[in-house]
Amino acid sequence: MIRTLAEGFGFGIAKNLVSGVSEGRRKTSISSKSSKIAQKQLRRVVQQELENAYYADPITFNSVNKSVQMIMSAGYKYDLDESNREDFMEFIDNLGQIGEDYTADELWEYIYLSEIIFGYSWIENVMNEEMTDILDLTRINPKQMDYARDSEGNILLDEYQKPIGYIQTISDKNYGVDTRNMGDEVPDEYKGRIDKSESQIFLLPERIALFKLYTGSNGFDSYGLIEPAYKSIVRKLNIEEAQTNSIYARGTFPLVDYIGNGKTQPTNQRLEQALEVMKKFKHDRYFALPHWHRIEPIEVKQSDIVDTALKHLRENQASAFGMPLAFATSGGEATNRSTLNSQQRLLEFTLN
């Protein structure tokens, strides 16, 4: 990846990283919403839901973070020609001069994290006015980025079958944002063909460095690791919530007071009096009752189906991440040590 960055950006690094930024293209972050039509055709999960799953589910959160941490722990180096080394290293040392502050390590970590969660990592190449030099790199919110598409959701391609550009959504509701002087001009041959709202702008391909994880059949759309497990994640969270609510409702076994015997039938008054006494059980500790009262708990057993279903759904999650379940849950007590070692080697091979 690092080599691709170094060789693919076409460096002629400007010495002044700030002064040469194109006034028509200074954004806080590049963003764009995905085409609803395209999502329907590809049966994609909305990207906001992928991020929700990452933050809401402990196994997903741990699996994603562990994958990124293991990748970053391996270290990296820049494979450069000596003629480019000095300029490139100066560029890397000065990342984050425009927009947010961050280091090179944080940029690489963000690329891996974004790919795993969303399937894409979008990086803005901050260009000078002449569009000849890359002055800085800016991390992009993947939830708001998409290819330029037509009204039917098809990606618009040039004569070489390359995307003609990308779409940025400045704001979903366009809160007073004037986009008329923002972005790039759409090439003449594609004017009127791009499906773009007033809150969106067009960006030329050279403004974006796009990294994809698992590419779809069309060669452009990409999948992360959460999407294949998404349904299992949602179902597991729903079952866990329902099970927790059930436990709250049955924090203690319900009590029944059997009053009277075969010879003596209780009156309604005695039943009501017994009920009032039992309501005080939450507060009082000592009671004296006549011999015809027999108080017993009703034991409610937990269904084995719940535990089996949760185990199956957790295994589905671990399979999607290529992460051994013992590592995903950070609980390997029940797993043989030799098996864990083998699983760890396989995980490291996969991340490599």
Side-chain angles (χ1 to χ4, degrees):
M1 181 202 71
I2 306 305
R3 183 171 184 174
T4 302
L5 281 171
E7 297 177 348
F9 282 140
F11 286 101
I13 306 299
K15 300 301 180 183
N16 189 331
L17 290 179
V18 179
S19 62
V21 180
S22 170
E23 294 180 0
R25 173 65 192 143
R26 177 62 256 138
K27 310 294 170 265
T28 55
S29 65
I30 294 184
S31 55
S32 172
K33 65 180 180 181
S34 299
S35 168
K36 294 181 179 179
I37 298 176
Q39 287 185 357
K40 182 177 180 181
Q41 290 174 341
L42 294 168
R43 298 179 182 178
R44 302 299 302 270
V45 177
V46 178
Q47 291 188 329
Q48 181 61 62
E49 293 302 317
L50 298 177
E51 187 173 46
N52 291 345
Y54 168 64
Y55 286 115
D57 180 63
I59 292 180
T60 302
F61 187 79
N62 187 49
S63 297
V64 171
N65 292 342
K66 283 292 182 289
S67 297
V68 174
Q69 290 162 5
M70 292 183 70
I71 292 172
M72 292 299 297
S73 68
Y76 58 86
K77 65 179 180 179
Y78 300 108
D79 188 359
L80 303 167
D81 294 332
E82 287 303 319
S83 58
N84 291 333
R85 177 174 295 278
E86 183 176 352
D87 284 343
F88 181 78
M89 294 311 300
E90 180 182 353
F91 177 82
I92 291 296
D93 291 340
N94 287 281
L95 286 176
Q97 296 296 307
I98 300 170
E100 61 177 328
D101 295 330
Y102 60 91
T103 65
D105 278 354
E106 291 171 332
L107 179 63
W108 313 144
E109 182 175 332
Y110 173 81
I111 290 174
Y112 294 127
L113 182 71
S114 179
E115 283 182 308
I116 291 174
I117 296 175
F118 302 103
Y120 303 90
S121 183
W122 305 77
I123 302 297
E124 175 187 0
N125 303 323
V126 181
M127 310 290 290
N128 63 354
E129 292 188 24
E130 294 76 22
M131 297 286 287
T132 56
D133 289 348
I134 298 174
L135 308 180
D136 205 349
L137 304 176
T138 300
R139 298 181 291 191
I140 303 170
N141 186 345
K143 301 192 302 294
Q144 300 173 328
M145 200 69 191
D146 194 17
Y147 295 100
R149 300 177 186 263
D150 62 19
S151 59
E152 295 183 355
N154 300 311
I155 299 173
L156 293 172
L157 306 177
D158 61 19
E159 58 182 319
Y160 301 105
Q161 299 301 296
K162 301 288 186 181
I164 67 165
Y166 306 97
I167 294 295
Q168 171 193 1
T169 298
I170 303 303
S171 171
D172 288 339
K173 296 183 179 180
N174 198 19
Y175 291 112
V177 179
D178 186 359
T179 61
R180 289 175 294 181
N181 297 321
M182 301 173 68
D184 298 312
E185 185 176 353
V186 177
D188 292 338
E189 60 269 34
Y190 298 103
K191 288 182 177 179
R193 295 179 58 188
I194 295 180
D195 182 23
K196 183 174 73 69
S197 69
E198 292 183 356
S199 63
Q200 297 175 324
I201 63 174
F202 173 77
L203 301 173
L204 291 170
E206 50 265 39
R207 291 201 187 273
I208 301 297
L210 174 58
F211 301 90
K212 296 177 288 185
L213 190 57
Y214 291 113
T215 306
S217 59
N218 64 1
F220 299 103
D221 294 300
S222 184
Y223 296 80
L225 300 185
I226 295 180
E227 194 159 352
Y230 178 74
K231 286 188 177 180
S232 293
I233 294 170
V234 172
R235 289 166 179 165
K236 181 179 72 71
L237 291 175
N238 287 337
I239 292 175
E240 287 177 343
E241 182 175 6
Q243 182 70 357
T244 301
N245 290 336
S246 176
I247 293 172
Y248 285 150
R250 300 195 316 266
T252 57
F253 292 143
L255 298 177
V256 176
D257 187 358
Y258 299 92
I259 304 172
N261 50 44
K263 297 180 180 180
T264 305
Q265 296 298 321
T267 63
N268 290 336
Q269 182 180 4
R270 284 188 174 180
L271 290 173
E272 291 177 1
Q273 289 174 346
L275 183 59
E276 291 301 319
V277 171
M278 292 179 67
K279 287 181 180 180
K280 299 178 181 179
F281 279 15
K282 294 181 179 179
H283 311 287
D284 299 335
R285 297 181 59 190
Y286 305 102
F287 297 90
L289 298 172
H291 66 86
W292 59 77
H293 289 260
R294 180 168 54 89
I295 299 176
E296 294 181 356
I298 298 178
E299 295 188 11
V300 181
K301 294 184 178 180
Q302 176 65 47
S303 173
D304 293 337
I305 297 178
V306 174
D307 292 335
T308 302
L310 288 175
K311 182 176 182 295
H312 173 70
L313 294 172
R314 293 185 186 112
E315 289 172 347
N316 281 352
Q317 286 183 256
S319 296
F321 289 111
M323 178 79 64
L325 185 59
F327 295 167
T329 60
S330 295
E333 294 83 357
T335 307
N336 179 274
R337 183 175 298 275
S338 176
T339 302
L340 277 178
N341 290 335
S342 299
Q343 291 177 334
Q344 180 176 351
R345 287 194 295 270
L346 180 61
L347 174 61
E348 292 172 350
F349 173 78
T350 301
L351 294 178
N352 276 332

